[in-house]
Amino acid sequence: MDDIRQTIRTRPREGTSRATSAFTELAQQVRHQGLLRRRYGYYWTKLIAAPLVVAACLAAFVWIGESWWQLFTAAALAIVFTQIAFLGHDAAHRQIFVSGRWNDWISLILGDLLVGMSYGWWQHKHTRHHANPNKLGSDPDIELPVIAVTAETAARHRGPVLTWMRGHQGVFFFPILLLEGLSLHASGVRRVFARGRLERRWVEIAFLGIRLGGFLTLVFLVLSPGIAFAFLAVQLGLFGFYMGIAFAPNHKGMPVVPRDMTLDFLRRQVMMSRNVRGTRLLDVVMGGLNYQIEHHLFPSMPRPHLRRAAPMIAEYCRAHDVPYTSVGLLTSYAIVVRYINRVGLGERDVFTCPLVEQRSLIGST
């Protein structure tokens, strides 16, 4: 524990040139291995399949008609929309094409038109997260409206009811994810109509209008109100839940960086991120987000290369005394839940608690 704390607190004091050269050396190795080259065949297959699968699901929806069996269609659409969102995430990180313009338009089509999420809203939020993961005042992903994931947030507005809820918030974390789908749609709509600079605003408004308005119209034309509301609840709930469980293991429960601390790029990205190890099936289910360390170090690395890059980057980090965290899926969720509960109970040592918890859990597996 002391070694880990010492690593976090003293490494940034070393010369910046040495820290920069460490990442430059790694980047050269990654590039030499061809891990940054484009995978056009892989991505074109997915890009062609995405609208075809959505069309097939909607055709099945119309064909089934007024029936409670439509709840299975809703579940299928939730999975399909999440997988398309993962593909949009790849495009937004410039993983698909060399051209930024092509990637932007693919992100707009996938995100706004097919999924119903604003690309402009997501890009602004996600760019800030990548720049300073888990840093207070900089990373919007640790400023959640309901769940407190930092001691700073947990200390605000404490009362007997909220104190009890915060102390058990790990239990509520996964059920709350059922509302995440609705929140993602609502956040996107608010962003496109809010003041401030937003590129291609009218394209986003048009795409979101077609996707959200058209989808709701189709659902209520085919189904009676009771089944329609149940269908939407299942589709939105499972979509949000799937998105939440894919993103939750990545950073929650890792050290939180104080506002006044500066870390070099390699340590800032590696030490605040967590990989989830598993089979190739898990890679598909998680949309490549289980290789969070590699993704944060090389955001434009195509998803198929992440699995190859992971062992090399892990070995490099060990050689340079940079803690590299990789756990199983269930262990990652256990870490998240226990960490969130500790934060809610007022635990303030954000540097050591998640890492101590992680060590104990890894040792028991």
Side-chain angles (χ1 to χ4, degrees), residues 116-238:
M117 288 174 52
S118 167
Y119 167 57
W121 164 78
W122 180 89
Q123 184 187 44
H124 175 70
K125 176 176 179 289
H126 201 62
T127 299
R128 291 166 57 205
H129 159 70
H130 264 263
N132 289 286
N134 274 23
K135 185 169 184 176
L136 291 171
S138 299
D139 184 358
D141 286 3
I142 60 175
E143 294 294 334
L144 303 181
V146 179
I147 299 292
V149 297
T150 68
E152 185 178 281
T153 303
R156 300 174 193 157
H157 311 298
R158 298 190 70 88
V161 176
L162 187 57
T163 298
W164 182 88
M165 291 184 66
R166 286 276 168 83
H168 299 80
Q169 63 179 355
V171 177
F172 301 132
F173 179 71
F174 290 102
I176 286 174
L177 292 179
L178 294 169
L179 301 175
E180 182 65 14
L182 185 61
S183 175
L184 290 172
H185 291 311
S187 296
V189 172
R190 284 197 303 269
R191 178 68 181 91
V192 298
F193 287 108
R195 293 182 178 180
R197 185 174 180 273
L198 180 65
E199 292 186 17
R200 304 184 181 92
R201 181 186 300 275
W202 290 106
V203 172
E204 291 213 51
I205 290 174
F207 281 2
L208 287 176
I210 293 170
R211 164 61 175 85
L212 299 177
F215 187 68
L216 287 174
T217 300
L218 179 64
V219 168
F220 282 97
L221 281 176
V222 173
L223 304 177
S224 62
I227 299 179
F229 280 113
F231 174 91
L232 291 172
V234 171
Q235 189 270 307
L236 287 170
L238 292 182

Side-chain angles (χ1 to χ4, degrees), residues 3-25:
D3 292 341
I4 294 174
R5 179 185 295 169
Q6 193 70 12
T7 298
I8 294 175
R9 295 189 184 276
T10 62
R11 287 292 179 182
R13 295 176 186 172
E14 297 177 359
T16 56
S17 60
R18 180 177 175 183
T20 302
S21 64
F23 176 72
T24 301
E25 181 186 346

Side-chain angles (χ1 to χ4, degrees), residues 58-74:
L58 294 180
F61 173 78
V62 174
W63 179 72
I64 294 172
E66 173 76 3
S67 170
W68 285 103
W69 288 104
Q70 293 283 21
L71 298 186
F72 290 98
T73 311

Side-chain angles (χ1 to χ4, degrees), residues 320-339:
H320 288 76
D321 297 323
V322 179
Y324 179 102
T325 303
S326 180
V327 301
L329 183 63
L330 296 181
T331 298
S332 72
Y333 291 139
I335 292 169
V336 171
V337 169
R338 295 188 188 189
Y339 171 71

Side-chain angles (χ1 to χ4, degrees), residues 32-98:
H32 179 72
Q33 293 294 323
L35 297 174
L36 296 179
R37 65 181 176 83
R38 307 294 167 175
R39 292 292 300 270
Y40 291 114
Y42 172 87
Y43 278 116
W44 271 117
T45 301
K46 285 183 172 291
L47 290 174
I48 293 170
L52 294 179
V53 172
V54 172
C57 289
L58 294 180
F61 173 78
V62 174
W63 179 72
I64 294 172
E66 173 76 3
S67 170
W68 285 103
W69 288 104
Q70 293 283 21
L71 298 186
F72 290 98
T73 311
L77 279 170
I79 295 171
V80 169
F81 288 146
T82 305
Q83 285 291 321
I84 293 175
F86 292 156
L87 187 58
H89 172 263
D90 291 1
H93 279 293
R94 308 299 193 254
Q95 295 178 20
I96 300 180
F97 301 108
V98 174

